Every structure is written in structure tokens, then in C-alpha cells.
Amino acid sequence: MKALVTGASSGIGRDMAIYLSKIGYDIILVARNEDKLIDVKEKLDTPSDILIADLNNKDDVDKVIDRCKKDKIDILINNAGFGLYGSFYESDLDKEIEMINVNVIAVHRLTKEVYKMMKEANGGYILNVASSAGLLPGGPLLSTYYATKSYVRSLTLGLYEENRRNLNNVHFSVLCPGPINTNFNNVAGTSFNLKSMSSDFVAKYAVDKMFKNKVVIVPGFMVKCGLFLQRFICVKLLLKIIYNIQVKKGRKN
Ligand SMILES: NC(=O)c1ccc[n+]([C@@H]2O[C@H](COP(=O)([O-])OP(=O)(O)OC[C@H]3O[C@@H](n4cnc5c(N)ncnc54)[C@H](OP(=O)(O)O)[C@@H]3O)[C@@H](O)[C@H]2O)c1
């Protein structure tokens, strides 16, 4: 049994790889930072391989797809991703395109190709990592990031229903966590003003729920409550509230 995890060099991806290895899966670890991947590989209990890939790069995404097919993986976890803080008016377009490539295009391409392979094999799990951001109407000051996560959530749910009607053993899940203590903030240029969860808790929770065929996975009681309550708030007011939370996230130098 084999799993491929993107963004396995750090945070949730690293902890999902460690947990999957603990329960018996061989792992293919994907990310750009080789040294960090070697550190993760050393922590694993099962045979594992490192695949260096920049998911901003189409050829590297093809390389990952080829590896999924060659190894006939049983689990694909599309976890690699990052955010970028700032007003849309001022933010760097090239960085945003990179974010769309990693958070959306790579996820889309990997999901499509691996789904075809799993459908033929009549089995497998695809877990896409979105965010609680993907369940909200928009995210002022992190607008592109929220939009990418909405895409991942929407795509995965659409595929879940299409696939369910085909009566096969491929399973789709989307992980929508709130704040987690990882390297995400350093990359995004933010700091959390809400209580964050530990990434090893989220990783284990997500994998366990994936195996139970849960479609939308939201770790943490408070995050679940918040997401439930926001449904009763009108969109304009909700956007104001989100803005006021995000504005405090800007890094104070
Ligand atoms: N932390 C949170 O609060 C939070 C909440 C909700 C959802 N999420 C989502 O959870 C996922 C994992 O994030 P994290 O919190 O664990 O952050 P993290 O610690 O920064 O990990 C991000 C991972 O993505 C990889 N990555 C980034 N750009 C890449 C690229 N161009 N090509 C290949 N890999 C790339 C990084 O590896 P390299 O740098 O080595 O390439 C790293 O392994 C992301 O999709 C994020 O949006 C995070």
C-alpha cells in the first residue's frame, strides 16, 4: 500500500506522511526542499522515496503524475500550498500566479490523472487540502488564497458526487481546517490572532476521517461551530468581520 503526499517537507503534509507510515503505508514524499524531505524520510517506519518537485512548474507536476501512475498509489494527498497576505491592489501578481499554479492547477491536474488511474483500478483515496477559508464567502487581504481554497473545496465536492454515482471504490475528501501551527504564517507574512491547532492532531484526524469516507473534514469543535454560525450572517457583514480578523494578521515588524 502506497501513498503520495505533496508538501511533505513541513507542517500538515509532513505529519500526514508520518502518520500514514505509522499505520503501514509506504510513502512518496513530494516538495522542493530536499534537506527537509530527508529529515522527514528518516522519521518514517516504512519504505519511502523522495521526489523533488516544484508544483509551480508544469514539467515537475507531470513528473509527480508519472510517479503516481508508475507506483499505482492507493492514496493521493494534495496538500502543498501557501498563502500571501496583503491587499489585492498592492500584492505581487507573479507570486499570486505561482499560488494559483500550486494551490489550484497542480491539484487539478494531479486529481484528474490520479482519479482516472484509481477509477480503472476500482479503488483509492484522494484527499485534497483546502481550508476553512474555502468554506467562507471571501477573504479580504488574503483574497487570492481564499479563492484558491474555494476552488479546491468546490472541485472535490463536485467530483465526490460524480464519482458516487459510478459506484466504485474511489473516495474523495476535502480537508478544511482553521488555523494550524505550521510554517504557513512565515510564508504568507501573517500571524494568527486566533488559537491554532497542532499539525500532528490535524494530520491524524484528517487521515482517520478520510478512511471513514467523510467528505468535508473540519477538525476542531470551535472551527465547526464558527463555520456553522457564519451561515446565518449576511454576506456583507461576514466580509466585514473577516476583514477585521485578517487585518490583525498582518505581520507587525
Ligand atoms: N497552517 C494553516 O493554518 C492552514 C490552515 C488551513 C489550510 N492550510 C493548508 O494546508 C496545506 C499545508 O500547509 P501547512 O500549514 O502545513 O504549511 P507549511 O508548513 O508552510 O507547508 C507547506 C508545504 O507546501 C510545500 N510547497 C509550497 N510551495 C510548493 C511548491 N511550489 N512546490 C512543491 N511544494 C510546495 C512546502 O514544501 P517546500 O517549501 O519544501 O517546497 C511545504 O511542504 C496548504 O495547502 C495550506 O494552504 C493551512
Side-chain angles (χ1 to χ4, degrees):
M1 291 181 311
K2 196 170 267 192
L4 182 140
V5 183
T6 71
S9 62
S10 164
I12 313 168
R14 176 200 57 207
D15 288 332
M16 287 202 274
I18 291 171
Y19 182 57
L20 281 166
S21 173
K22 215 170 262 170
I23 60 175
Y25 282 83
D26 296 353
I27 313 285
I28 305 170
L29 304 159
V30 180
R32 293 166 301 180
N33 188 317
E34 188 170 13
D35 291 343
K36 284 190 182 176
L37 287 175
I38 291 170
D39 282 350
V40 178
K41 184 174 156 67
E42 281 168 4
K43 291 190 171 72
L44 302 186
D45 302 325
T46 48
S48 64
D49 268 329
I50 285 172
L51 180 55
I52 308 294
D54 180 351
L55 299 177
N56 179 37
N57 176 311
K58 184 177 178 296
D59 291 343
D60 279 15
V61 178
D62 283 338
K63 201 167 75 178
V64 180
I65 291 169
D66 288 347
R67 189 62 195 270
C68 291
K69 289 182 178 167
K70 186 175 146 272
D71 285 43
K72 296 191 170 50
I73 57 159
D74 304 284
I75 300 175
L76 167 66
I77 301 188
N78 278 310
N79 161 77
F82 70 95
L84 179 66
Y85 183 83
S87 74
F88 188 71
Y89 179 70
E90 291 171 324
S91 50
D92 178 353
L93 180 61
D94 289 343
K95 203 71 197 160
E96 285 168 342
I97 300 294
E98 185 183 331
M99 194 198 309
I100 293 166
N101 282 338
V102 176
N103 294 12
V104 174
I105 306 292
V107 173
H108 185 110
R109 297 188 65 228
L110 272 155
T111 299
K112 194 171 189 76
E113 294 302 326
V114 171
Y115 177 42
K116 284 185 198 165
M117 182 199 85
M118 286 181 173
K119 198 163 177 288
E120 243 166 63
N122 192 28
Y125 292 88
I126 297 181
L127 171 60
N128 289 335
V129 179
S131 167
S132 54
L135 295 165
L136 293 168
L141 300 178
L142 274 155
S143 297
T144 309
Y145 176 71
Y146 272 57
T148 65
K149 294 302 180 180
S150 286
Y151 184 94
V152 173
R153 191 248 324 138
S154 174
L155 178 77
T156 314
L157 295 189
L159 300 184
Y160 160 79
E161 182 57 18
E162 274 184 32
N163 181 64
R164 191 182 64 80
R165 287 162 190 270
N166 291 328
L167 297 178
N168 62 43
N169 287 315
V170 183
H171 304 282
F172 284 97
S173 301
V174 60
L175 174 62
C176 298
I180 308 160
N181 198 5
T182 65
N183 199 35
F184 179 89
N185 277 335
N186 290 333
V187 176
T190 55
S191 61
F192 288 136
N193 48 354
L194 301 171
K195 195 174 177 312
S196 53
M197 277 183 278
S198 75
S199 98
D200 56 346
F201 167 78
V202 170
K204 181 178 181 310
Y205 184 90
V207 169
D208 288 346
K209 293 289 180 190
M210 175 191 80
F211 283 129
K212 288 181 180 156
N213 303 331
K214 180 98 174 135
V215 190
V216 181
I217 302 170
V218 179
F221 179 71
M222 293 308 283
V223 181
K224 280 192 187 77
C225 285
L227 289 170
F228 176 75
L229 292 174
Q230 59 95 17
R231 296 179 199 170
F232 304 102
I233 305 174
C234 76
V235 171
K236 283 184 177 174
L237 177 59
L238 190 53
L239 290 170
K240 275 186 195 166
I241 295 169
I242 297 169
Y243 181 91
N244 284 321
I245 294 172
Q246 303 289 27
V247 82
K248 292 180 193 142
K249 277 191 189 173
R251 183 175 283 150
K252 293 144 197 108
N253 292 314

